[in-house]
Every structure is written in C-alpha cells, then in structure tokens.
Amino acid sequence: MAAKRKRAALAVGKAKRARSAPSAGEAVPEGGPRERSIPPQEHSIPPQEYSIPPPVSQGKWKNKERVLIFSSRGINFRTRHLMQDLRTLMPHSKADTKMDRKDQLFVINEVCEMKNCNKCIFFEAKKKQDLYMWLSNTPQGPSAKFLVQNVHTLAELKMTGNCLRGSRPLLSFDPIFDQEPHYALLKELFIQIFSTPQYHPKSQPFVDHVFTFTITDERIWFRNYQIIEEDASLVEIGPRFVLNLIKIFQGSFGGPTLFENPHYQSPNMHRRLLRLSVAAKFREKQQVKEVQKTKKKGTKVLVKEDPTEVVFETPAEEKPVEIQLVKPESKPIVKDKKKLRKIQRKKQKKVFRSEG
C-alpha cells in the first residue's frame, strides 16, 4: 500500500509540473497562469531564441536484424578478444554466456529466440587449439561452418586506422562471390549479418569504414579498413582473420548438406601429415646410417694387380754403397751458443798448432 501511495504522489507531482509549464503550441486554459506584464523599457532588447536541433536520423528503424555473438567453453584469450571486437564493430549485436560443450548445437536456436535474435555467430573451440565459426540464420537456416585461421585482434595489431564507434560499414566483396552459387549464398549471409541496419538506435548515421571479403587460396579473407576523407585512401583498422569453408547446411546448425568444400583439410589431418613427414625424414637418416655401417663391416675385395701399371715407372739411378769404417765424432750438446763458439775456437787453435 505504501508503494502504491508513493507512485500516486509521483504521478500527481508530474501532472502539476506539466500544467505549470505548458508547451509553446498548447493554449493556456482559462484561470491558468497569466502572462507577466513586460515594462516598455524591456521591449528594446531583442529576445534570445533557443532552438533545439532535430535528431540526426529521423527515419524509422524497419530492418530489425539482431545478431547473437557468443562462444562455447574452452576458448583462448585471442578468440575472446576477437569476439569482443566483433561486438564493438556491430552495434546490432547481442552477447550471451558461454555454452557448455556437452550441449547440442540445435539448442542455440532456442537461445536466439530467447534473446530475440534472428542471426547468430557462434565460436566453437575444440582441443583448445582449433577454432570453428558458425554463421546461421535462425531458426530456418541456412548455416555455414568455417575453420578460423590467422586471427589477429585490434589490440594485437595496433593499426593506425580508427573509425567512429557504432558507424555503419560498407561491405566489399570479391567478384568471385557472384560466379559460384555457394559463394553467392555466403555473400547474402554476410550481408545480413555484418551490415548494420539503417536507423538502428545504437548506430551512428556515418559511413567511415569498410569490411572487405576477399577469396584467395580457396579461403575468405576478412579485413576492416578506415576510409580517409582527404584522398579516399584506406587504412587498416583490424581485426583480421581467414575463414576456411567446411560445409553449408540447409537448416540452422544442422540439416542436409548443401555444399562441402573438397579443398578442406582438417587440422587433425594437417598435424598428422606433419608428423608423418618428420618421421619419414628420421627414417631416411637411419637407413643412410645403416647402409654406411654395412659398407664398413663388409669384406674388402682384393683387386688383382694390373700389369700395365709398370709401364710408366722409371727406375732410379743406382748409387754406390759407401761403408763408413771410422766412427763419427760425437758433437757436444750445448745449449748456450757462446760456449759452443768457444769450443769451436779451441779446436781450431789446436789444429793450427799441430800444423805449425
């Protein structure tokens, strides 16, 4: 009862304020507040005009696209930052708590219905190293599953570009999107998910950045660029990532397969091939070592003498054999050169004396 009395008192107070300050278009009722008489000296000063500017976007918000962006448990910090960057760039997005990995994927349709969202971007982590992205039109479909590679977030790149928060982006697509039917379906899905609806309450009516979707090496490369007003050049803002298409399903998070990428190779298979290549190199080295050991242990085969080898040999000259009958004099071992010279002089003096 006390709460009801308070609400009634507040309502009466608001009504009194509204009556005391009528708008310019409304007429003052009889018996209401009378206009104050202005003395003639005040008529000489021109009254100041206060005009409230109209809202920037006067249109009506018709396209009610809402995108739910969330993930499963087990994602790393880079995926969490990428998810936050996408929420920042897309003002028409909503967030939700992480989904348990034991739950089935079709439960996401119910989550989107509770959040009043008709599009969904779901990040699925496996083995704490592989990241998959689901883009879905809930609840009817279609949906596409991608393998996300080469993820770089806004904080990690530190690009020089910058754009207004909540501004509407331009979407630029590679010409290949119009040539293949599965790429045409993905193009329509990207347009409905990444384009900000016109006159959205959280968006700004400015276009100062562009999302580019380029197809190279059978993959879709996502980039975000700022449009500079001076010369219409582009400066990258971020984030950036590469989408490797796996499958396109008819339903939302399941159903019949509309397209399967023949060039796709799972991360498990890629890691297995890397391990096999390393093992093959190791086995090749071991085989080379074994061959070298068998060569060393093998018996040496004696090659018969070639009779033509003696053709180019020239015999050396025979020298007469000299037989020395007298024992040679032993030379004194003297380390000091001065003592050696003195000994030689003494010998020479003895020789001269004997001759004289």
Side-chain angles (χ1 to χ4, degrees):
M1 294 295 290
K4 288 182 180 179
R5 289 171 187 170
K6 287 182 181 179
R7 289 176 188 172
L10 288 172
V12 170
K14 288 180 181 178
K16 287 181 179 179
R17 288 175 191 171
R19 289 173 186 172
S20 61
S23 60
E26 296 177 357
V28 180
E30 292 180 326
R34 297 180 181 178
E35 293 183 357
R36 184 173 59 90
S37 60
I38 302 171
Q41 57 187 6
E42 292 185 5
H43 282 287
S44 60
I45 302 172
Q48 295 180 357
E49 295 181 359
Y50 294 97
S51 61
I52 300 172
V56 180
S57 60
Q58 296 179 351
K60 188 178 180 182
W61 178 32
K62 296 180 181 179
N63 184 14
K64 300 296 181 71
E65 295 285 351
R66 298 182 184 88
V67 183
L68 180 64
I69 302 176
F70 71 117
S71 68
S72 65
R73 297 194 179 276
I75 60 172
N76 54 8
F77 70 97
R78 185 174 280 108
T79 306
R80 188 173 67 253
H81 291 178
L82 173 64
M83 191 166 54
Q84 189 61 36
D85 294 343
L86 290 178
R87 289 172 183 168
T88 305
L89 293 173
M90 301 164 63
H92 61 293
S93 63
K94 289 187 177 182
D96 195 20
T97 56
K98 294 179 182 178
M99 195 178 74
D100 197 356
R101 284 182 288 184
K102 295 180 181 179
D103 296 338
Q104 299 295 327
L105 290 178
F106 61 82
V107 180
I108 301 175
N109 296 325
E110 300 177 3
V111 177
C112 292
E113 187 179 356
M114 287 188 294
K115 286 285 184 177
N116 197 17
C117 296
N118 50 6
K119 299 290 184 298
C120 181
I121 300 178
F122 178 68
F123 291 94
E124 185 180 8
K126 290 185 179 180
K127 294 188 176 181
K128 296 185 179 180
Q129 54 183 345
D130 303 330
L131 178 63
Y132 298 91
M133 178 192 284
W134 286 83
L135 299 179
S136 177
N137 179 24
T138 57
Q140 292 86 11
S143 58
K145 184 180 181 181
F146 301 90
L147 174 67
V148 187
Q149 298 172 331
N150 301 334
V151 177
H152 297 282
T153 59
L154 276 170
E156 181 183 357
L157 287 174
K158 296 182 181 177
M159 293 290 184
T160 56
N162 192 8
C163 65
L164 182 66
R165 184 186 179 96
S167 61
R168 301 180 64 221
L170 293 174
L171 299 184
S172 174
F173 291 93
D174 197 279
I176 306 176
F177 277 97
D178 299 327
Q179 299 173 6
E180 300 291 336
H182 60 281
Y183 282 139
L185 178 61
L186 290 178
K187 178 181 177 180
E188 185 63 29
L189 196 60
F190 287 146
I191 289 173
Q192 294 184 14
I193 289 177
F194 287 96
S195 63
T196 303
Q198 194 176 11
Y199 305 124
H200 191 276
K202 293 184 180 179
S203 67
Q204 299 291 338
F206 304 105
V207 177
D208 58 351
H209 66 288
V210 54
F211 291 159
T212 61
F213 298 89
T214 311
I215 297 175
T216 306
D217 194 20
E218 303 295 335
R219 291 170 174 83
I220 301 172
W221 301 63
F222 175 86
R223 296 289 184 272
N224 181 22
Y225 296 97
Q226 178 196 0
I227 304 172
I228 300 178
E229 296 179 359
E230 285 77 9
D231 51 355
S233 60
L234 300 178
V235 180
E236 188 172 356
I237 305 172
R240 56 164 66 169
F241 52 88
V242 179
L243 299 176
N244 190 0
L245 178 63
I246 302 173
K247 284 183 181 182
I248 299 176
F249 300 95
Q250 184 177 354
S252 178
F253 296 97
T257 303
L258 298 179
F259 176 78
E260 185 173 0
N261 188 7
H263 306 284
Y264 171 71
Q265 187 182 61
S266 64
N268 293 331
M269 181 61 68
H270 180 67
R271 286 190 288 265
R272 181 173 176 271
L273 293 177
L274 288 178
R275 289 194 298 268
L276 288 176
S277 63
V278 173
K281 289 181 181 179
F282 180 74
R283 281 198 301 270
E284 187 179 354
K285 288 182 181 180
Q286 293 296 327
Q287 289 174 1
V288 171
K289 287 182 181 180
E290 290 176 1
V291 170
Q292 291 176 353
K293 286 181 181 180
T294 52
K295 284 183 179 179
K296 289 180 181 179
K297 291 180 180 179
T299 56
K300 295 181 180 180
V301 180
L302 296 175
V303 183
K304 295 181 180 180
E305 293 182 357
D306 191 3
T308 60
E309 286 183 356
V310 197
V311 175
F312 298 100
E313 290 183 359
T314 54
E317 296 180 357
E318 295 182 358
K319 294 182 180 181
V321 180
E322 295 180 358
I323 299 172
Q324 191 174 1
L325 301 174
V326 184
K327 182 181 178 181
E329 294 181 359
S330 60
K331 295 180 180 181
I333 301 170
V334 181
K335 294 182 179 180
D336 195 357
K337 293 182 178 180
K338 292 182 179 180
K339 291 183 179 180
L340 182 60
R341 289 172 185 172
K342 287 180 182 179
I343 292 169
Q344 289 177 355
R345 287 172 187 172
K346 287 180 181 179
K347 286 183 179 180
Q348 289 176 0
K349 287 178 181 179
K350 287 180 181 179
V351 172
F352 287 131
R353 285 174 186 175
S354 60
E355 289 178 356

